[in-house]
Amino acid sequence: RLLLLLSAAGLAALGAPQPPNILLLLMDDMGWGDLGVYGEPSRETPNLDRMAAEGMLFPNFYSANPLCSPSRAALLTGRLPIRNGFYTTNAHARNAYTPQEIVGGIPDSERLLPELLKEAGYATKIVGKWHLGHRPQFHPLKHGFDEWFGSPNCHFGPYDNKAKPNLPVYRDWDMVGRFYEEFPINVKTGESNLTQIYLEEALDFIRRQQAAQRPFFLYWAVDATHAPVYASRPFLGSSQRGRYGDAVREIDDSVGKMLSLLRTLSIAESTFVFFTSDNGAALISAPSQGGSNGPFLCGKQTTFEGGMREPAIAWWPKHIPAGQVSHQLGSIMDLFTTSLVLAGLKPPSDRVIDGLDLLPTMLQGQLTDRPIFYYRGNTLMAVTLGQHKAHFWTWTNSWEEFRQGIDFCPGQNVSGVTTHTQEEHTKLPLLFHLGRDPGEKFPLSFASTEYQGTLSRITLVVQQHQDTLVPGQPQLNVCNQAVMNWAPPGCEKLGKCLPPPESVLEKCYWPH
Amino acid sequence: RLLLLLSAAGLAALGAPQPPNILLLLMDDMGWGDLGVYGEPSRETPNLDRMAAEGMLFPNFYSANPLCSPSRAALLTGRLPIRNGFYTTNAHARNAYTPQEIVGGIPDSERLLPELLKEAGYATKIVGKWHLGHRPQFHPLKHGFDEWFGSPNCHFGPYDNKAKPNLPVYRDWDMVGRFYEEFPINVKTGESNLTQIYLEEALDFIRRQQAAQRPFFLYWAVDATHAPVYASRPFLGSSQRGRYGDAVREIDDSVGKMLSLLRTLSIAESTFVFFTSDNGAALISAPSQGGSNGPFLCGKQTTFEGGMREPAIAWWPKHIPAGQVSHQLGSIMDLFTTSLVLAGLKPPSDRVIDGLDLLPTMLQGQLTDRPIFYYRGNTLMAVTLGQHKAHFWTWTNSWEEFRQGIDFCPGQNVSGVTTHTQEEHTKLPLLFHLGRDPGEKFPLSFASTEYQGTLSRITLVVQQHQDTLVPGQPQLNVCNQAVMNWAPPGCEKLGKCLPPPESVLEKCYWPH
């Protein structure tokens, strides 16, 4: 009982030798509805379901953006993409990320979680996808990580190494090969050993830090569930859900092995583990290469619930009581603040931090009122406060894209809501009650007292947010073919340097 | 370990005093996605979730019809509505049920579960909605039940007792009042004590049978989640999901109290409990009066998954291993056969029984191949075999109804699938893989080898079904205002007899 109420600081005061290890498991394009514990009908995630049964499940947990890079930048900075620069102003309400031709990346002025934890004595490692910029100044080892095994961008490909280079895989400072070359992904069969490699990297790191008695921060950012999805041979064909399900099974199995290692090493009770995803399932890749957002509307790229509501499980045996469900509105940015508090640190006070400390929620069941903001580029599309969500803009994608078969909401169509033109509702927002109507199908009547009361509460919160907002320098506006991964550090030793084309700065084109 | 492998017959051989009690909990219009354990985001069903954790969850369990009466007739007869007569031939592919003006009901030739269990020494009771016909010859006490507390039809109303009488509530042979009169339902506030009364009836029956050391069959068919939904005062406003959620919470609480009583009386291990629903959530009543079908397509009235896939939990401590999930394709009709086997009986051999014995599934984890048939009236609309589903006809409802706002698939629209004209696909069925695509959004390509192989397997099964099918006499074709509940037995004692209008037989009109 006493233990449950102790913060990390409290533990330290009791003479606990060190703050807890922190293991963040970040999925790629995995949807709210992809785990058995969230109702996936095939129920193929026994390890994650068990993790939830032993920990705390968050049904109302959100990413900070419906797209990968901004969401990951928000996780590591504790700040909305509009503050940390991970957005574009090239067109109205556009999603943007870090493809190979992006010039920008995480600004040096941002203070990243590994950087801060390192100062507190943590050993830090990122396994998998970085996605915060791939030019030298953005390298994760320049932003607080001691170790890296993984890639700076998405595993798209294979490319011809002429128009576009295959993506490099790094070990620490240097590349050690490229996807589709030294690190094969067979897009025809879906076979790749990458998740096994990422698992081994994680297990090895955990074992080494435990042996060295050093607290660790491990950021396990695997990408097998991002199209083109992949799994290793033992998992291929193992799922009832097709190739996407095979990838989920392998990840579930890997999480089971990590938690099992923590138990074996007797550090389960001194390791805080959190599982979530970077954005909603990419329904555009469904059914064989995309996941499920359960009962929610649309998916990745959109600011409907399917785009940003995420599976989320916290696990810390003997600290977080088992089998709990918290309806706290949570954000991926809270992992920044919570991790700092766990480490006995205070979040930076010289800037706005959007993340909350979730420890009072996880240890004492406390609920804190807070808004969830849904941005697309620098446009505030929607906000959730309590059970209510207001849409200020609605858009899925353009008619032009939609007619070409690009559909972010397959099989779903809510008149006036899943619009293919950008519809402004800033004067009269569309309001939904997410408890009664999690699928955002039934807008509240403008004439209802519920609408009026809710709107005034939400308007206040939004005004305060917008009045005090200082947008960061947008990082995702400028592209250049010459900055692609032609000749990453270490390429000489491998004989894998490629000649870059002429440097031409261009405005990046963001279609949706 | 030994116990797990014993059938009821085996238990008897060991000298067990009597076969297990059977408690069937049948919900009304509750959807697959309405329980926390099935992913409902508000997670307000702790007792049902615990029941699942202590028992076996079926994610692939089906009703026998997308509408109430036929589904309930199928449960109690173990036979498809097309066999037991609970269908109409008045128009092509129409759902039908037992409104007050229906002339038909359960034929005497059908052998009902309570009738058979009674012969094996069971005390039998129905609490709640009968829905198998309300004329004297259809009375549940004429079909095997010893006791009844509840109503023959839906709790629609209030009526004026002139054009239409309010529905009677029976205790055993006689009416004891009417809905909206002696048994109030406030459609404005949603308040009604009915679930509490139904709970008390159940607890009292269980206590009496335990005292008498008599095995019992209790069929608890509550209807608080059928529009107009209701809850008693302590539950009103208690849900994050609105009034529908209040009704669910009260039912969840009631189920908890029933299981708790079984434990207190030390008969948990000698009582088989099964929880399911009669058809999918009535999305037409959403969001405040309708439930959720989770990730599935459409709802009640349709032969898409949302219309017929149901929540289903089996609970029998020390017999059914705790925390299991079975992917057996299950049917509400299996409860007929399974209950008989539990009682040491054999299903009738003089007729086709569609229900399977699920004990090998529940006790030993066995999986049995079997088709699920989806009918609308006498039209076979679809069939599921393994992971594949074939649609021979697609229809939601008519354009005429749809334009009036009657929508069985709000917010959902799958081109060529959720059609508003009856589309025939008997020559070239639409095929879906329900594992990869539970939402029936992505029909298989006609040219794929998966399509070809699946179609030939399904065609065989359907041909065999149709070649040997002998439809029962349709019971839901003829209506008559004079047969409504004007003067049910017992009305004289209460002074509540109403004069019937002239008897005029009419063809019932079934719009969808």
Side-chain angles (χ1 to χ4, degrees):
Chain A
R1 174 110 191 96
L2 182 66
L3 260 180
L4 300 184
L5 301 174
L6 287 174
S7 68
L11 283 170
L14 280 181
Q18 57 184 37
N21 308 305
I22 297 166
L23 173 52
L24 298 187
L25 308 168
L26 184 71
M27 301 301 109
D28 202 336
D29 288 3
M30 191 180 277
W32 191 95
D34 275 327
L35 310 190
V37 68
Y38 282 95
E40 199 290 314
S42 297
R43 303 245 154 198
E44 296 178 336
T45 55
N47 293 290
L48 288 162
D49 297 353
R50 182 179 162 195
M51 182 181 169
E54 295 172 354
M56 182 175 268
L57 185 82
F58 291 85
N60 308 335
F61 197 89
Y62 291 87
S63 73
N65 197 264
L67 215 61
C68 40
S69 294
S71 180
R72 287 156 193 263
L75 161 61
L76 293 182
T77 61
R79 286 149 57 81
L80 282 167
I82 187 74
R83 300 193 211 275
N84 66 33
F86 264 66
Y87 67 98
T88 181
T89 56
N90 284 3
H92 185 258
R94 300 300 165 118
N95 294 319
Y97 72 110
T98 53
Q100 291 205 64
E101 57 272 27
I102 200 79
V103 169
I106 191 72
D108 277 341
S109 56
E110 291 297 320
R111 305 209 67 195
L112 268 61
L113 179 58
E115 191 182 326
L116 296 163
L117 291 175
K118 196 175 167 167
E119 289 173 9
Y122 276 71
T124 59
K125 176 161 191 157
I126 166 173
V127 174
K129 190 195 265 188
W130 168 239
H131 234 209
L132 265 57
H134 57 280
R135 294 174 63 217
Q137 64 267 42
F138 306 126
H139 194 290
L141 271 58
K142 288 200 176 141
H143 291 268
F145 282 109
D146 296 323
E147 302 183 15
W148 181 25
F149 184 88
S151 182
N153 313 76
C154 265
H155 62 275
F156 293 132
Y159 299 118
D160 63 359
N161 283 339
K162 284 172 189 152
K164 204 172 243 190
N166 275 322
L167 268 300
V169 175
Y170 281 75
R171 174 173 298 288
D172 302 333
W173 289 105
D174 288 344
M175 78 177 275
V176 288
R178 292 184 191 269
F179 286 143
Y180 304 96
E181 299 174 21
E182 291 77 8
F183 297 92
I185 303 169
N186 187 323
V187 290
K188 208 162 172 181
T189 65
E191 185 177 347
S192 174
N193 283 327
L194 279 164
T195 300
Q196 290 304 310
I197 298 173
Y198 294 147
L199 169 61
E200 213 35 72
E201 287 291 323
L203 299 177
D204 170 71
F205 179 74
I206 293 170
R207 279 190 210 104
R208 281 190 282 120
Q209 304 322 315
Q210 196 269 342
Q213 293 282 300
R214 211 174 147 196
F216 65 79
F217 168 58
L218 174 57
Y219 174 45
W220 198 65
V222 294
D223 60 0
T225 47
H226 188 298
V229 301
Y230 60 77
S232 64
R233 195 167 299 173
F235 291 93
L236 277 181
S238 71
S239 166
Q240 301 177 60
R241 303 180 64 199
R243 194 176 291 179
Y244 181 87
D246 298 342
V248 172
R249 287 197 88 128
E250 185 163 18
I251 288 171
D252 176 74
D253 184 76
S254 300
V255 173
K257 290 197 164 84
M258 282 188 260
L259 299 189
S260 171
L261 176 64
L262 297 178
R263 285 191 199 93
T264 304
L265 298 179
S266 301
I267 53 172
E269 293 167 26
S270 56
T271 305
F272 171 82
V273 187
F274 202 95
F275 175 96
T276 190
S277 179
D278 64 345
N279 46 247
L283 301 184
I284 197 174
S285 306
S288 65
Q289 308 244 348
S292 163
N293 296 315
F296 298 111
L297 188 62
C298 302
K300 180 180 177 179
Q301 303 279 4
T302 78
T303 48
F304 300 107
E305 291 296 285
M308 288 181 53
R309 203 192 274 229
E310 304 303 328
I313 305 170
W315 185 90
W316 190 16
K318 296 277 167 72
H319 301 271
I320 298 173
Q324 301 298 300
V325 173
S326 173
H327 287 289
Q328 173 68 43
L329 291 188
S331 164
I332 199 169
M333 297 179 290
D334 300 345
L335 301 179
F336 175 87
T337 306
T338 305
S339 297
L340 292 180
V341 175
L342 281 171
L345 299 172
K346 287 208 167 83
S349 57
D350 62 343
R351 63 198 67 206
V352 174
I353 301 291
D354 296 287
L356 289 184
D357 173 15
L358 287 183
L359 288 176
T361 298
M362 296 191 287
L363 304 182
Q364 295 134 36
Q366 192 176 299
L367 293 177
T368 306
D369 264 346
R370 67 96 68 88
I372 298 292
F373 296 108
Y374 307 65
Y375 274 88
R376 206 156 160 169
N378 60 344
T379 303
L380 181 63
M381 305 284 288
V383 64
T384 288
L385 192 66
Q387 289 276 19
H388 288 96
K389 181 171 180 180
H391 287 275
F392 306 111
W393 288 88
T394 53
W395 194 40
T396 56
N397 60 351
S398 67
W399 279 115
E400 193 187 350
E401 282 204 319
F402 184 65
R403 287 201 191 97
Q404 286 163 18
I406 299 174
D407 190 351
F408 298 149
C409 319
Q412 297 179 315
N413 178 30
V414 183
S415 177
V417 178
T418 54
T419 58
H420 289 286
T421 48
Q422 295 188 348
E423 297 292 330
E424 183 169 5
H425 312 278
T426 52
K427 297 277 176 293
L428 204 61
L430 295 178
L431 292 196
F432 294 89
H433 185 283
L434 296 177
R436 295 194 301 269
D437 176 25
E440 294 166 282
K441 292 172 182 171
F442 306 98
L444 298 188
S445 157
F446 296 131
S448 65
T449 53
E450 183 180 359
Y451 183 94
Q452 301 296 336
T454 304
L455 183 59
S456 53
R457 284 189 305 116
I458 286 183
T459 303
L460 264 178
V461 169
V462 170
Q463 265 175 2
Q464 197 192 3
H465 170 68
Q466 291 181 320
D467 288 352
T468 58
L469 179 71
V470 182
Q473 194 68 25
Q475 295 295 317
L476 308 179
N477 279 348
V478 184
C479 285
N480 184 350
Q481 301 285 322
V483 306
M484 294 201 287
N485 296 283
W486 302 105
C491 69
E492 312 82 358
K493 277 181 280 182
L494 300 173
K496 295 199 76 89
C497 303
L498 299 166
E502 195 190 350
S503 176
V504 183
L505 293 178
E506 292 175 303
K507 200 171 153 179
C508 306
Y509 173 65
W510 303 115
H512 35 250
Chain B
R1 171 111 192 93
L2 181 65
L3 259 182
L4 300 184
L5 300 173
L6 288 175
S7 66
L11 281 171
L14 279 180
Q18 57 184 35
N21 308 307
I22 298 166
L23 172 53
L24 298 186
L25 308 168
L26 185 71
M27 301 300 110
D28 202 335
D29 289 3
M30 190 179 278
W32 192 95
D34 274 326
L35 310 190
V37 69
Y38 282 94
E40 199 290 314
S42 297
R43 303 245 155 199
E44 296 178 336
T45 55
N47 293 289
L48 288 162
D49 297 353
R50 181 178 164 196
M51 182 181 169
E54 295 172 353
M56 181 175 269
L57 185 83
F58 291 86
N60 308 334
F61 197 89
Y62 291 87
S63 73
N65 196 265
L67 215 61
C68 41
S69 295
S71 181
R72 287 156 193 262
L75 161 61
L76 293 182
T77 62
R79 286 149 59 79
L80 283 167
I82 187 74
R83 298 192 212 276
N84 67 34
F86 264 66
Y87 68 98
T88 181
T89 56
N90 284 4
H92 186 258
R94 300 299 166 118
N95 294 317
Y97 72 109
T98 52
Q100 290 206 64
E101 58 272 29
I102 200 78
V103 169
I106 191 71
D108 277 340
S109 56
E110 290 297 319
R111 305 209 66 197
L112 268 61
L113 180 57
E115 190 184 326
L116 297 163
L117 290 176
K118 195 174 167 169
E119 288 173 10
Y122 276 71
T124 59
K125 175 161 191 159
I126 167 173
V127 174
K129 190 197 264 189
W130 168 240
H131 234 208
L132 265 58
H134 57 281
R135 295 173 63 217
Q137 63 268 41
F138 306 126
H139 193 290
L141 270 58
K142 287 199 176 142
H143 290 269
F145 282 109
D146 296 323
E147 301 183 15
W148 181 24
F149 184 88
S151 181
N153 312 76
C154 265
H155 62 276
F156 293 132
Y159 298 118
D160 62 359
N161 283 340
K162 284 171 190 154
K164 206 171 241 187
N166 274 321
L167 267 303
V169 174
Y170 283 75
R171 173 173 297 288
D172 302 332
W173 289 105
D174 290 342
M175 79 177 275
V176 287
R178 293 184 191 268
F179 286 142
Y180 303 95
E181 299 173 22
E182 290 77 8
F183 297 92
I185 303 170
N186 186 324
V187 290
K188 208 161 173 181
T189 64
E191 184 177 348
S192 173
N193 283 327
L194 278 163
T195 300
Q196 290 304 312
I197 298 173
Y198 293 148
L199 169 61
E200 214 34 71
E201 287 290 323
L203 298 177
D204 169 70
F205 178 73
I206 293 169
R207 278 190 211 104
R208 280 190 283 121
Q209 305 320 315
Q210 195 268 343
Q213 293 282 301
R214 211 174 148 195
F216 66 78
F217 169 57
L218 173 58
Y219 174 45
W220 197 65
V222 295
D223 60 0
T225 48
H226 188 299
V229 302
Y230 60 77
S232 63
R233 196 168 296 174
F235 292 92
L236 278 181
S238 70
S239 166
Q240 300 178 60
R241 303 179 65 199
R243 194 176 292 181
Y244 181 87
D246 297 343
V248 172
R249 286 197 89 127
E250 183 163 19
I251 288 170
D252 176 73
D253 184 76
S254 299
V255 172
K257 291 198 164 84
M258 282 188 262
L259 300 188
S260 171
L261 177 63
L262 296 178
R263 286 191 198 93
T264 304
L265 298 178
S266 302
I267 54 172
E269 293 167 26
S270 56
T271 304
F272 171 82
V273 186
F274 203 95
F275 176 95
T276 190
S277 179
D278 63 346
N279 46 247
L283 300 183
I284 197 175
S285 307
S288 66
Q289 308 245 347
S292 163
N293 296 315
F296 298 110
L297 188 61
C298 302
K300 179 179 180 182
Q301 303 278 6
T302 79
T303 48
F304 300 107
E305 291 296 285
M308 286 179 56
R309 203 191 275 229
E310 304 303 328
I313 307 169
W315 186 90
W316 189 17
K318 297 277 168 75
H319 301 273
I320 298 173
Q324 302 298 300
V325 173
S326 174
H327 287 289
Q328 173 67 43
L329 291 188
S331 164
I332 199 170
M333 297 180 289
D334 300 345
L335 301 179
F336 175 87
T337 305
T338 304
S339 296
L340 291 180
V341 175
L342 280 171
L345 300 172
K346 287 208 167 82
S349 57
D350 61 343
R351 63 197 67 205
V352 175
I353 300 291
D354 295 287
L356 290 184
D357 173 16
L358 287 182
L359 287 176
T361 298
M362 296 191 287
L363 304 182
Q364 295 135 35
Q366 193 176 298
L367 292 177
T368 306
D369 264 347
R370 68 95 68 87
I372 298 290
F373 296 107
Y374 307 65
Y375 275 88
R376 204 154 160 170
N378 60 344
T379 303
L380 181 64
M381 304 285 287
V383 64
T384 288
L385 192 65
Q387 288 276 21
H388 288 95
K389 181 171 181 181
H391 287 275
F392 306 111
W393 288 88
T394 52
W395 194 39
T396 55
N397 61 350
S398 67
W399 279 115
E400 193 187 350
E401 282 204 320
F402 184 65
R403 287 201 191 99
Q404 286 164 18
I406 300 174
D407 189 350
F408 298 149
C409 319
Q412 298 179 314
N413 177 31
V414 183
S415 177
V417 178
T418 53
T419 58
H420 288 286
T421 48
Q422 295 189 349
E423 296 293 329
E424 182 167 5
H425 312 278
T426 54
K427 298 277 176 290
L428 205 62
L430 296 179
L431 293 196
F432 294 89
H433 186 284
L434 296 178
R436 296 195 300 271
D437 176 24
E440 295 166 282
K441 293 174 181 169
F442 307 98
L444 298 187
S445 156
F446 296 130
S448 66
T449 54
E450 183 181 358
Y451 183 95
Q452 300 296 337
T454 304
L455 184 60
S456 54
R457 285 188 304 115
I458 286 183
T459 303
L460 265 177
V461 169
V462 169
Q463 265 174 2
Q464 197 191 4
H465 170 68
Q466 290 182 320
D467 288 352
T468 57
L469 179 70
V470 181
Q473 194 68 26
Q475 295 296 316
L476 309 179
N477 280 348
V478 183
C479 284
N480 185 350
Q481 302 285 321
V483 307
M484 295 202 285
N485 296 283
W486 302 106
C491 70
E492 309 83 359
K493 277 181 280 183
L494 300 173
K496 294 197 77 91
C497 304
L498 299 165
E502 196 189 349
S503 174
V504 183
L505 293 179
E506 292 175 304
K507 203 171 152 179
C508 306
Y509 173 65
W510 303 115
H512 34 251

